[in-house]
Amino acid sequence: MDKLPQRLQWDDVQYMDVTDMADRVRSLAAHLDSAVVLAGQFRYDSAFALLRTGLEHTVVDWLVFLGQTLVQRYSGVDEAKWKEWEAARAAGAEWTKTIRDWTRTRRGEVRMVREGLYSGPDDDGDRRQVSIYYFLLEQYEPTLGPPSVQTEDWAISTDELRRMARENQAMWRVYLTYTSLLSNLQENQLVDDIDAGRLATHCRFLSGYAYPVVDHRRETYGRDALLGWPKYDHYSSELVLLYAITLGVLELRNFIRSLDQRPAPTLASLDEVEQVLVAAQSATSYFWFLGANPHPYDTWKARNEVAFRAMRDGVRVELPPEPTPSEVPYPSDPLRRLVALHGSAHEMMTGLVYVSPWPRADARFR
């Protein structure tokens, strides 16, 4: 990831957006590498907090690299104006041709989803599509603040600053909150409902470390954490590595896909890069991140839970059948699940057995 810009092989034209996207990959690599360094110092809480940034960085870049729609919002659209717009779209008016979908509330608020944005045509009449998120990276001003705190600048009036602040707030709400990011991933058909839910699960887990409102020392270091920390913990170390590798693979795959969708450079030694990505995915498949199947442990647990619910309800059932991957609940706590993966178990009430491929004696007491 860090050497990605040097792998880009240009023809006659160098596209600035592709160069910037390669630098985004490098920026994420710095976050992930720093998280691994922190884990090497046994500072797992800080590593997980940084991985929360890495997760959001990956999601934003997903839209920067592959996003093809933008959302526009309008207020004060009365019934007459809305009927006029609908008639224009039905008649094929030019300004409506890039609209994929739109809705209007009774209060006259319109949400419009468009394809775009597009560059001007080249000599052959071809246009390149550039994600709205690419431009938002330059337009959003995190230090601007709300309209109420704006005061007159020597060059900009208070009214103009307040207008800018309102637009900045709307940009954040429509495009950049984590909920909006997930919604836009789905709007662009980059994830389905299942993977959007999985991303939300990992966001909640990592946010618990990013926002200091919960003491995670016991979960992070084990039951005897309060006797002395920071100290080495196999499970937290492993989870940091799993996140770093998985996010890195997702970022690179999305960048490579973006090169296939536009006039763009080629990537030197692409076969070599692909081999690394395949090996990384194989080594981390048990993490069950996105688009993957559950581990046998997850299936074992799901079958037990079905049986337990039947017992609780007083229903006598035979041993439940093995569920399909889509029927296995997604775990809400990746660290607790990882500990459980390392411990074999025999559930006496159901007779179901899980044999860990990587048994560790300390998993039982972690």
Side-chain angles (χ1 to χ4, degrees):
M1 295 171 70
D2 191 52
K3 303 297 183 183
L4 184 63
Q6 290 94 307
R7 288 182 176 267
L8 295 176
Q9 297 180 321
W10 304 92
D11 291 328
D12 297 330
V13 180
Q14 179 175 349
Y15 298 104
M16 183 56 66
D17 60 320
V18 178
T19 301
D20 290 342
M21 290 191 298
D23 285 336
R24 292 282 299 179
V25 175
R26 287 194 66 206
S27 178
L28 176 62
H31 287 315
L32 302 181
D33 183 64
S34 297
V36 174
V37 170
L38 287 167
Q41 299 170 349
F42 314 150
R43 301 185 184 278
Y44 304 115
D45 291 47
S46 300
F48 287 132
L50 188 53
L51 286 168
R52 170 62 178 82
T53 299
L55 174 64
E56 190 150 345
H57 188 134
T58 305
V59 171
V60 169
D61 285 357
W62 203 340
L63 289 160
V64 171
F65 299 168
L66 298 171
Q68 295 183 340
T69 64
L70 64 141
V71 177
Q72 295 176 318
R73 292 182 183 273
Y74 302 89
S75 299
V77 180
D78 60 24
E79 187 69 26
K81 175 63 70 172
W82 178 240
K83 288 182 178 180
E84 180 183 329
W85 285 8
E86 288 185 314
R89 189 181 182 192
E94 187 65 29
W95 68 270
T96 69
K97 289 183 178 179
T98 60
I99 297 174
R100 284 193 180 181
D101 187 33
W102 61 4
T103 57
R104 175 184 174 272
T105 68
R106 292 182 179 179
R107 298 177 60 183
E109 296 174 349
V110 173
R111 181 179 185 272
M112 188 180 297
V113 181
R114 285 186 179 272
E115 296 177 358
L117 301 165
Y118 291 93
S119 68
D122 60 17
D123 294 340
D124 298 323
D126 296 325
R127 298 188 302 166
R128 298 173 62 245
Q129 188 170 26
V130 182
S131 170
I132 183 64
Y133 276 87
Y134 173 73
F135 300 99
L136 293 180
L137 296 178
E138 296 294 331
Q139 292 177 3
Y140 180 68
E141 292 286 348
T143 61
L144 185 57
S148 60
V149 303
Q150 305 303 318
T151 57
E152 187 168 357
D153 185 83
W154 70 273
I156 307 176
S157 69
T158 302
D159 288 344
E160 178 64 11
L161 283 170
R162 287 174 178 171
R163 182 194 66 78
M164 293 168 57
R166 285 193 296 272
E167 290 184 356
N168 204 55
Q169 281 188 328
M171 193 185 307
W172 172 261
R173 184 175 63 254
V174 174
Y175 294 106
L176 297 174
T177 66
Y178 197 76
T179 300
S180 297
L181 291 171
L182 292 184
S183 176
N184 278 281
L185 280 177
Q186 293 175 278
E187 194 75 61
N188 280 274
Q189 299 181 347
L190 296 173
V191 299
D192 56 18
D193 291 343
I194 293 174
D195 276 347
R198 293 177 180 180
L199 284 169
T201 294
H202 289 288
C203 178
R204 287 192 294 270
F205 172 77
L206 293 172
S207 294
Y209 289 90
Y211 304 111
V213 295
V214 178
D215 185 351
H216 282 291
R217 284 176 295 175
R218 290 185 183 274
E219 292 86 352
T220 305
Y221 294 100
R223 295 181 182 180
D224 59 348
L226 301 184
L227 299 178
W229 60 278
K231 62 179 181 178
Y232 172 74
D233 180 79
H234 170 86
Y235 305 101
S236 289
S237 294
E238 184 176 357
L239 188 57
V240 169
L241 290 173
L242 286 169
Y243 269 119
I245 295 170
T246 301
L247 293 176
V249 168
L250 180 58
E251 177 87 347
L252 276 172
R253 287 215 175 277
N254 288 336
F255 178 81
I256 293 170
R257 282 178 61 194
S258 76
L259 299 183
D260 293 335
Q261 297 187 18
R262 67 188 76 213
T266 56
L267 204 61
S269 305
L270 181 57
D271 290 344
E272 175 186 315
V273 174
E274 183 63 28
Q275 288 175 7
V276 171
L277 296 179
V278 170
Q281 285 183 298
S282 176
T284 59
S285 61
Y286 66 97
F287 185 33
W288 193 18
F289 190 61
L290 303 181
N293 288 328
H295 188 267
Y297 164 78
D298 303 296
T299 303
W300 171 84
K301 184 178 179 183
R303 293 181 73 191
N304 280 321
E305 289 176 350
V306 170
F308 295 155
R309 285 195 295 271
M311 295 175 190
R312 180 198 61 195
D313 296 338
V315 178
R316 183 176 179 179
V317 295
E318 299 296 330
L319 190 64
E322 186 167 316
T324 64
S326 62
E327 294 173 331
V328 178
Y330 198 66
S332 61
D333 189 328
L335 183 54
R336 184 177 298 176
R337 171 183 178 268
L338 184 61
V339 174
L341 285 176
H342 286 280
S344 298
H346 181 185
E347 176 51 56
M348 300 301 295
M349 296 183 69
T350 64
L352 293 172
V353 176
Y354 165 67
V355 179
S356 173
W358 324 279
R360 288 183 58 89
D362 59 354
R364 183 178 179 182
F365 306 102
R366 172 64 166 68

